[in-house]
């Protein structure tokens, strides 16, 4: 790891790529002559172009193709597209079996994705410390040192993947959601195999939540202050504001908890949201229409899902939610690290929902698909593991896609991630010797949002770490690759 | 004897091939006994400090950085395995080639129904230059083995890795070859 070379010229630090997030991105930090942070940017450096190349495809292919945006939450894209294509197919309500099969698949997906994030990607920072040597900061070290947590990591994720396979036909890139419904119900043998294990999975999810609460209690100051700032929050909620990750209306609350938008339907998304493009990132910057880029930004994801809902309809997660909200004393919880706690509550909720559905006989129904009169436009949203995901398509009379617009979860968090980076840079880096551990603090802040840059730019991959120091004229004074 | 080393890398893909690799689930314990995980997006090791025995690459090449990463990766891997449709033939990302790069950029950043004020195409020097087309990995480097699928199943990846890491030629049954 490089440090300053004693120079007092303004310089720039680059973290490239950021690792243990799902995607390609890098961070540049510009320091002034005194070593204070002048600016910090989180760049997303991948571009894919799905909105254009999906044009001309037959509309029923879309749920299969579009999920290749992201191998981590393919189900969210598969289902958001299927829900939009329901509308194209003229179907406003799919049969109960189809609705519940899709829901079960979605809960399996959020379960596995939240498990992947909290255990495989984030837990090394929390268990070993932000400043731990990089060779320790990975899931293998967790497995060796904390076998119990390693067990949760492997088996909770595995269970989620098996729920997806049982409902969707494949663990990654499933195939069962089709316009108007699904093409399979839940086989009894699969149901029974999952039933036999769901109780233990719930108990492990709860144990992981309790374990994390221990971490929060032991690190209260860090937890509340690290990269924390007030913001608005956005999430889909179900009827009466109850948490519903699969379907519902949009709620946006301000930092005090006051509703800015409530009950909005998917068709109205353009009335509420607008996206700004900045030259230095492939990730757009959405904000609330009418509030402007500086005031209209908000956060999405587990923290927003918990802050926005008025209740959770499963008992263990509801108790955990009340516990969590008590921290905010009636206001939304703003701590960035609280994303992890919220993610674990949602994890518990998904496990409980999976159990409910596994004992619902509708899953063996045979009425799988509804038909209707073809329409030209379909707009749908879903609460993906990382937050609200919006798909919007128009289809011509030859059944070919004419246009597509996608606003994915991570994109909504773009402004917030940039602010978190800048804040950490300002508090932790300014005027100090720059160490590898300190740079990891920045990555920790980014990682709290669980950014899926694959989805976001509609691309993904690894992000190594290169540190470049530049003076004001852009000349490189030092450049070193982080090991 | 030191354990063999395994490295993984993701270019323009969806990370689904890496997720499929993780679907080996509890066999990861067996894997740790067999190998040391070197450079990989799954850990924090960002550069090589010597040759590794087996490297697996997911994804196609869509920008100059992918090509650079791929070349460096190839140079450090004794055996290089291309995993998944994107790496092998460009896969879904290469649908970009049918529409053309400019049209794709314009649709995403200028024509979208929620893009503010006409938008602009990101062009900062911090962003890597996009290639004219999306290319499969063997256009740039030599590949030793190909594992087809979108993604290949965990069983396929596991069987191939285990063979390569124990110094045998992978002999995969036909049932593990899926081109979906
Ligand atoms: S081959 Fe398929 S699963 Fe693998 S990265 Fe490409 S799109 Fe994703």
């Amino acid at each position: 790891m490089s440090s300053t070379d004693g120079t007092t010229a303004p310089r720039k630090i680059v973290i490239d790529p950021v690792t243990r997030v799902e995607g390609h991105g890098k961070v540049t930090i510009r320091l002034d002559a005194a070593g204070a942070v002048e600016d910090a940017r989180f760049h997303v450096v991948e571009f894919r172009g799905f909105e254009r190349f999906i044009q001309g495809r037959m509309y029923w292919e879309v749920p299969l193709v579009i999920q290749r945006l992201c191998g981590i939450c393919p189900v969210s894209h598969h289902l958001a597209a299927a829900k939009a294509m329901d509308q194209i197919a003229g179907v406003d309500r799919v049969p109960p079996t189809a609705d519940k099969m899709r829901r079960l698949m979605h809960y399996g997906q959020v379960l596995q994705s939240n498990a992947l994030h909290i255990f495989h990607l984030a837990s090394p920072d929390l268990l070993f410390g932000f400043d731990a040597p990089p060779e320790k900061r990975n899931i293998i070290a967790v497995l060796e040192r904390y076998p119990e947590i390693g067990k949760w990591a492997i088996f909770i994720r595995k269970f989620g993947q098996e729920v997806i396979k049982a409902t969707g036909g494949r663990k990654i890139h499933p195939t069962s959601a089709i316009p108007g419904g699904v093409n399979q119900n839940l086989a009894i043998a699969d149901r029974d195999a999952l039933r036999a294990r769901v109780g233990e999975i719930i108990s492990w999810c709860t144990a992981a939540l309790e374990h994390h609460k221990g971490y929060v209690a032991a690190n209260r100051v860090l937890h509340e202050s690290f990269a924390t700032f007030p913001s608005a929050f956005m999430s889909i909620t179900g009827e009466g504001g109850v948490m519903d990750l699969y379907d519902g209306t949009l709620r946006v609350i301000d930092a005090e908890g006051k509703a800015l938008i409530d009950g909005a339907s998917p068709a109205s998304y353009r009335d509420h949201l607008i996206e700004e493009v900045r030259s230095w990132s492939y990730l757009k910057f959405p904000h609330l229409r009418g509030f402007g880029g500086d005031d209209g930004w908000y956060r999405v994801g587990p923290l927003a899902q918990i802050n926005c809902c008025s209740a959770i309809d499963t008992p263990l997660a509801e108790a955990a939610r009340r516990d969590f909200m008590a921290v905010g004393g009636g206001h939304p919880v703003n701590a960035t690290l609280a994303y992890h706690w919220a993610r674990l509550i949602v994890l518990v909720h998904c496990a409980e929902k999976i159990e409910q559905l596994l004992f619902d006989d509708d899953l063996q129904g045979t009425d799988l698909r509804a038909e209707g009169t073809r329409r030209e436009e379909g707009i749908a949203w879903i609460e993906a593991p990382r937050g609200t995901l919006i798909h919007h398509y128009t289809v011509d009379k030859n059944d070919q896609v004419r246009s597509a617009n996608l606003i994915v979860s991570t994109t909504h968090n773009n402004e917030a991630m940039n602010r978190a980076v800048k804040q950490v840079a300002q508090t932790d880096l300014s005027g100090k010797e720059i160490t590898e551990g300190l740079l990891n603090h920045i990555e920790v802040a980014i990682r709290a949002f669980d950014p899926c840059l694959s989805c976001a730019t509609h691309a993904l991959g690894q992000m190594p770490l290169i540190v470049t120091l530049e003076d004001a004229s852009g000349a490189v004074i030092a450049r070193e690759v982080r090991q | 004897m030191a354990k063999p080393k395994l490295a993984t890398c993701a270019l323009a893909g969806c990370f689904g091939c890496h997720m499929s690799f993780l679907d080996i689930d509890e066999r990861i314990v067996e894997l740790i006994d067999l190998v040391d995980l070197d450079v990989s997006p799954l850990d924090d090791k960002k550069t090589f400090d010597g040759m590794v025995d087996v490297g697996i690459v997911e994804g196609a090449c869509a920008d100059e950085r992918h090509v650079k990463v791929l070349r460096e990766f190839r140079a450090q891997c004794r055996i290089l395995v291309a995993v998944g449709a994107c790496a092998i033939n460009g896969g879904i990302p290469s649908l970009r080639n049918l529409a053309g790069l400019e049209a794709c950029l314009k649709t995403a950043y200028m024509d979208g129904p929620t893009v503010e004020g006409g938008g602009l195409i990101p062009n900062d020097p911090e962003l890597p230059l996009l290639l004219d087309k999306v290319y499969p990995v063997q256009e740039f480097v030599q590949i030793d083995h190909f594992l087809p699928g979108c993604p290949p199943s965990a069983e396929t990846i596991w069987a191939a890795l285990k063979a390569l890491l124990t110094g045998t030629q992978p002999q995969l049954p036909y049932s593990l070859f899926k081109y979906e």
Side-chain angles (χ1 to χ4, degrees):
Chain A
M1 169 54 225
S2 71
S3 65
T4 75
D5 54 3
T7 176
T8 51
R11 58 220 162 96
K12 188 176 75 171
I13 303 166
V14 182
I15 304 181
D16 175 18
V18 180
T19 42
R20 283 187 290 126
V21 303
E22 305 91 348
H24 295 108
K26 69 175 174 181
V27 172
T28 57
I29 303 158
R30 205 175 292 271
L31 305 183
D32 66 16
V37 173
E38 209 169 67
D39 198 11
R41 287 172 170 179
F42 175 50
H43 311 259
V44 171
V45 299
E46 291 260 335
F47 170 72
R48 303 273 293 272
F50 271 81
E51 291 95 339
R52 176 62 185 80
F53 66 62
I54 203 73
Q55 291 174 17
R57 311 299 302 190
M58 307 312 269
Y59 78 87
W60 54 81
E61 284 182 346
V62 174
L64 299 178
V65 175
I66 209 82
Q67 63 182 332
R68 263 80 182 176
L69 282 169
C70 179
I72 295 167
C73 59
V75 172
S76 312
H77 290 283
H78 183 57
L79 294 177
K83 282 168 44 161
M85 294 315 174
D86 290 343
Q87 294 163 31
I88 300 286
V91 174
D92 290 322
R93 193 174 285 269
V94 299
T97 303
D99 181 67
K100 289 176 184 176
M101 281 294 282
R102 290 179 180 185
R103 281 177 180 273
L104 181 54
M105 197 193 319
H106 189 50
Y107 291 122
Q109 150 80 8
V110 181
L111 184 87
Q112 77 82 18
S113 178
N114 282 11
L116 174 82
H117 184 262
I118 193 78
F119 299 122
H120 295 70
L121 304 177
S123 81
D125 297 325
L126 306 178
L127 294 168
F128 300 120
F130 300 176
D131 305 302
E135 61 275 12
K136 280 195 90 170
R137 293 195 311 251
N138 60 64
I139 183 65
I140 293 168
V142 173
L143 271 168
E144 283 165 351
R145 178 75 209 288
Y146 299 95
E148 182 71 8
I149 296 178
K151 180 182 81 184
W152 299 337
I154 291 172
F155 290 102
I156 297 174
R157 178 175 177 278
K158 180 181 181 183
F159 184 77
Q161 291 291 80
E162 283 174 351
V163 169
I164 297 170
K165 180 153 195 234
T167 47
R170 310 173 80 211
K171 285 185 174 173
I172 296 161
H173 303 323
T175 56
S176 70
I178 54 176
V182 292
N183 62 15
Q184 65 169 97
N185 63 13
L186 185 64
I188 301 273
D190 289 339
R191 180 200 70 185
D192 291 348
L194 293 169
R195 270 187 188 176
R197 296 216 314 285
V198 68
E200 191 168 42
I201 296 296
I202 294 176
S203 73
W204 287 345
C205 292
T206 339
L209 173 65
E210 288 308 315
H211 184 275
H212 186 75
K213 278 161 63 183
Y215 170 83
V216 173
N219 297 277
R220 197 160 287 284
V221 175
L222 175 75
H223 190 264
E224 277 164 24
S225 61
F226 181 78
T228 289
F229 41 77
S231 78
F233 292 96
M234 180 173 98
S235 156
I236 295 168
T237 55
E239 223 145 289
V242 172
M243 175 174 279
D244 187 341
L245 302 173
Y246 177 73
D247 205 18
T249 54
L250 198 68
R251 180 179 277 186
V252 182
I253 56 171
D254 68 12
E256 299 302 311
K258 189 167 82 53
L260 300 174
I261 296 170
D262 203 7
S265 66
S268 71
Y269 87 102
R270 280 162 294 181
D271 301 338
H272 302 296
L273 300 178
I274 194 161
E275 294 179 287
E276 184 193 336
V277 186
R278 297 187 192 158
S279 65
W280 46 270
S281 182
Y282 283 122
L283 198 55
K284 290 179 250 190
F285 290 80
H287 52 262
L288 302 177
R289 198 183 274 278
F291 286 79
D294 275 341
D295 297 320
W297 61 282
Y298 49 83
R299 285 185 274 183
V300 300
L303 186 59
Q305 288 157 1
I306 301 287
N307 277 332
C308 287
C309 76
S310 2
I312 300 180
D313 61 354
T314 56
L316 297 172
E318 171 61 9
R321 184 192 71 87
R322 286 169 186 257
D323 212 17
F324 178 86
M325 293 310 287
V327 174
H331 295 290
V333 176
N334 277 305
T336 290
L337 283 181
Y339 260 99
H340 297 304
W341 186 355
R343 194 170 286 119
L344 280 156
I345 299 172
V346 176
L347 183 84
V348 171
H349 171 63
C350 290
E352 290 181 286
K353 277 285 181 191
I354 290 170
E355 183 181 46
Q356 280 178 8
L357 285 163
L358 287 174
F359 287 89
D360 187 329
D361 293 340
D362 278 352
L363 273 299
Q364 278 75 46
T366 51
D367 180 14
L368 300 180
R369 183 164 171 250
E371 283 177 35
T373 312
R374 268 276 274 109
R375 297 185 191 130
E376 294 212 328
E377 188 170 51
I379 304 175
W381 52 37
I382 195 165
E383 272 299 307
R386 293 161 188 79
T388 313
L389 165 66
I390 305 170
H391 280 207
H392 172 198
Y393 304 96
T394 56
V395 174
D396 69 17
K397 58 180 185 321
N398 298 322
D399 289 349
Q400 288 174 291
V401 173
R402 189 187 292 136
S403 71
N405 191 35
L406 311 166
I407 308 183
V408 302
S409 321
T410 297
T411 310
H412 297 291
N413 277 336
N414 202 359
E415 181 66 31
M417 288 190 292
N418 271 282
R419 286 186 189 234
V421 165
K422 190 167 176 187
Q423 178 154 339
V424 176
Q426 276 168 341
T427 50
D428 286 13
L429 292 179
S430 285
K432 286 185 191 162
E433 179 82 358
I434 297 158
T435 63
E436 199 274 344
L438 278 172
L439 283 170
N440 193 49
H441 284 208
I442 291 191
E443 287 192 73
V444 170
I446 296 172
R447 220 172 274 134
F449 293 90
D450 186 12
C452 187
L453 307 175
S454 176
C455 286
T457 54
H458 316 318
L460 204 156
Q462 75 164 3
M463 313 210 280
L465 183 76
I466 301 167
V467 181
T468 313
L469 305 182
E470 288 180 9
D471 66 18
S473 67
V476 176
I477 352 177
R479 183 181 172 86
E480 229 172 283
V481 175
R482 189 175 98 169
Q483 297 288 328
Chain B
M1 204 181 89
K3 283 193 262 181
K5 288 183 182 164
L6 171 70
T8 80
C9 129
L11 307 173
C14 77
F15 221 63
C17 288
H18 270 80
M19 288 300 106
S20 197
F21 170 46
L22 272 190
D23 281 339
I24 64 172
D25 299 323
E26 60 270 30
R27 286 168 289 187
I28 194 165
V29 177
E30 210 180 311
L31 183 80
I32 302 169
D33 286 341
L34 213 57
V35 282
D36 282 328
L37 186 62
D38 207 273
V39 168
S40 165
L42 298 171
D43 60 21
D44 267 5
K45 192 151 186 315
K46 303 188 189 205
T47 51
F48 290 97
D49 37 30
M51 291 289 283
V52 302
D53 299 272
V54 178
I56 59 181
V57 54
E58 162 195 315
C61 290
D63 64 42
E64 53 169 3
R65 192 180 43 97
H66 294 138
V67 180
K68 187 168 156 278
V69 169
L70 174 66
R71 290 210 165 110
E72 285 167 7
F73 195 76
R74 166 74 270 188
Q76 297 297 327
C77 298
R78 288 201 181 86
I79 301 173
L80 184 57
V81 188
V83 176
C86 296
I88 296 174
N89 55 27
I92 297 287
S94 69
L95 290 179
R96 193 185 99 184
N97 300 348
L98 300 175
L101 176 59
E102 251 178 61
C104 288
L105 285 166
K106 198 166 159 293
T107 304
Y109 299 109
M110 301 185 76
D111 299 342
T114 38
V115 169
E116 187 176 30
L120 60 101
I121 293 180
N123 61 354
D124 195 86
E126 295 294 347
L127 302 176
L129 278 179
L130 297 165
L131 300 179
D132 60 335
K133 285 188 180 153
V134 175
Y135 297 91
V137 288
Q138 69 272 21
E139 293 271 343
F140 299 101
V141 298
Q142 195 197 318
I143 302 290
D144 303 305
H145 297 274
F146 297 88
L147 288 182
C150 182
S153 68
E155 280 60 44
T156 312
I157 297 173
W158 179 237
L161 272 186
K162 227 169 128 177
L164 292 171
L165 290 167
T166 50
T168 47
Q169 273 296 317
Q171 298 283 347
L172 302 186
Y174 187 69
S175 60
L176 289 185
F177 286 94
K178 295 248 163 63
Y179 295 88
E180 53 173 13

